[in-house]
Amino acid sequence: MADDVDVLVLRRGTHGMPVEQYVETLRERLPDRTVELARTPAEEREKIRDATFATGMSLDAELLEVAENLEVFACAYAGTGHLPLEKLREQGVSVTNASGVHGPNIGEHVLGAILHFTRRFHEAQRRQRRREWRHYQANELAGSTVTVVGLGGIGEAVCQRLEPFDVDTIGVRYSPEKGGPTDDVIGFGTDAFDEALARTDYLVLACPLTDTTRGLIGHEEFVTLDPDAVVVNVARGPVIDTDALVDALRSSLIRGASLDVTDPEPLPEEHPLWGLGNVQITPHNAGHTPKYYDRLADIVATNVERIERSDWDAELENRVSL
């Protein structure tokens, strides 16, 4: 790679934040480098021809075809399943992601959702709307068991924020032998997973959507969970069987659900989940934070500096295995 590493930023922003903010933040992190923004489709096609380092939310196969000199693509999302990964591998392009960027804000979102149901704020809101001053029973989080499915950056952030609350934690991951920041760590598809569900008060889904996790929580799992359990989904909608979820909520197989993601998504206006009093819905909003571009720019700037030092391919932060 050339000594002077220029960074090309593709035009799409995220979370309603202008991509220009990302560009300005990168320029602050890399004052001695040229950071360019391709603001139109035509500019993207023109500028990516000579770019060696590009970053953005997505990179389609058509644009990749003209990226003759591209060596690194820094994806601005944690997930990279939407990228033409095979083509990137064939062209020898290294890929990094934004893993860890969402940890603090989604960790806080999950904690807020758990406390929402623990202290039954949804019941308080109903009584406030009716101007009804009448006490109701609530719970305490201390002594509860929280099972966190997925121990990546988001799952770890959730566990860190649960530490002061005196709860028992169970982590679920593909490689349980790696351990994790929970009291127990188990794998998928085992008797231990069912046993964990049976003693779970709050089930937090923070895993990627894969063949293993698609439909992970369905009718049998809802039956296994305690009727007082609450499900919090900040993963992907299809991790839960939606029809089974609606049935579980209506028949009191579980106490409630906090859903930042749904299947389908967006959730249609006529969908029954909107009308259930034991459901909290946020419109895929847990990932929003005003610090998103700051954290993302830190990753990109770190990798630009590592590239300049040598042996960059093995040292890239958040490098994705292709």
Side-chain angles (χ1 to χ4, degrees):
M1 181 170 288
D3 291 337
D4 291 334
V5 181
D6 292 335
V7 179
L8 175 64
V9 181
L10 303 183
R11 61 194 165 94
R12 181 180 173 187
T14 189
H15 295 300
M17 298 182 293
V19 70
E20 284 83 358
Q21 292 182 12
Y22 183 28
V23 173
E24 290 305 313
T25 304
L26 279 172
R27 287 171 177 163
E28 291 173 2
R29 299 292 195 281
L30 297 166
D32 298 326
R33 298 295 165 209
T34 301
V35 179
E36 295 187 16
L37 170 63
R39 199 64 186 85
T40 67
E43 286 187 354
E44 285 185 336
R45 290 191 297 270
E46 176 188 352
K47 293 182 178 181
I48 205 168
R49 292 183 186 276
D50 298 321
T52 54
F53 193 118
T55 180
M57 309 299 157
S58 62
L59 175 66
D60 60 38
E62 182 179 348
L63 191 59
L64 184 57
E65 283 288 340
V66 297
E68 300 172 356
N69 299 296
L70 190 63
E71 296 184 15
V72 180
F73 179 68
C75 182
Y77 289 136
T80 55
H82 62 294
L83 300 177
L85 297 177
E86 184 174 346
K87 183 66 175 176
L88 285 160
R89 179 179 58 79
E90 290 174 356
Q91 289 190 206
V93 179
S94 295
V95 177
T96 64
N97 65 14
S99 178
V101 168
H102 284 307
N105 45 290
I106 296 185
E108 292 176 2
H109 182 99
V110 169
L111 184 59
I114 289 175
L115 292 173
H116 175 92
F117 279 95
T118 299
R119 298 307 301 171
R120 298 186 67 203
F121 290 139
H122 53 298
E123 180 59 33
Q125 290 170 342
R126 278 198 292 268
R127 298 188 186 209
Q128 180 178 344
R129 285 195 298 269
R130 296 194 296 259
R131 294 187 172 97
E132 180 181 0
W133 187 274
R134 184 165 59 89
H135 292 286
Y136 59 90
Q137 293 183 338
N139 301 292
E140 289 188 2
L141 183 55
S144 300
T145 296
V146 182
T147 296
V148 181
V149 181
L151 293 180
I154 292 172
E156 288 188 357
V158 171
C159 294
Q160 290 170 0
R161 283 152 182 77
L162 286 170
E163 286 180 3
F165 288 89
D166 192 24
V167 298
D168 295 322
T169 54
I170 303 171
V172 184
R173 69 186 313 169
Y174 288 104
S175 304
E177 65 275 6
K178 292 182 179 179
T182 51
D183 298 315
D184 296 304
V185 181
I186 61 176
F188 291 95
T190 63
D191 290 340
F193 180 68
D194 291 331
E195 292 169 1
L197 291 179
R199 59 190 179 100
T200 294
D201 298 297
Y202 296 93
L203 176 63
V204 178
L205 303 173
C207 53
L209 180 62
T210 65
D211 290 340
T212 298
T213 60
R214 184 179 294 274
L216 179 69
I217 307 300
H219 175 73
E220 291 301 319
E221 289 71 29
F222 287 123
V223 171
T224 303
L225 285 165
D226 190 277
D228 279 335
V230 172
V231 176
V232 180
N233 190 7
V234 291
R236 288 293 183 267
V239 173
I240 297 178
D241 181 321
T242 301
D243 291 340
L245 172 62
V246 172
D247 290 342
L249 290 163
R250 284 174 166 170
S251 58
S252 298
L253 287 179
I254 59 173
R255 177 158 56 98
S258 177
L259 308 173
D260 188 57
V261 290
T262 59
D263 182 28
E265 188 176 307
L267 196 64
E269 290 184 16
E270 69 279 5
H271 201 281
L273 282 172
W274 286 115
L276 297 178
N278 54 348
V279 177
Q280 179 190 47
I281 296 175
T282 51
H284 208 139
N285 207 64
H288 181 267
T289 169
K291 297 183 179 179
Y292 186 91
Y293 286 145
D294 288 333
R295 295 175 186 146
L296 182 58
D298 285 342
I299 296 171
V300 172
T302 295
N303 283 334
V304 168
E305 292 164 356
R306 288 181 179 181
I307 288 170
E308 294 176 351
R309 285 200 299 267
S310 74
D311 193 25
W312 61 271
D313 194 56
E315 297 179 359
L316 289 182
E317 184 174 341
N318 283 10
R319 186 162 182 251
V320 177
S321 177
L322 300 180

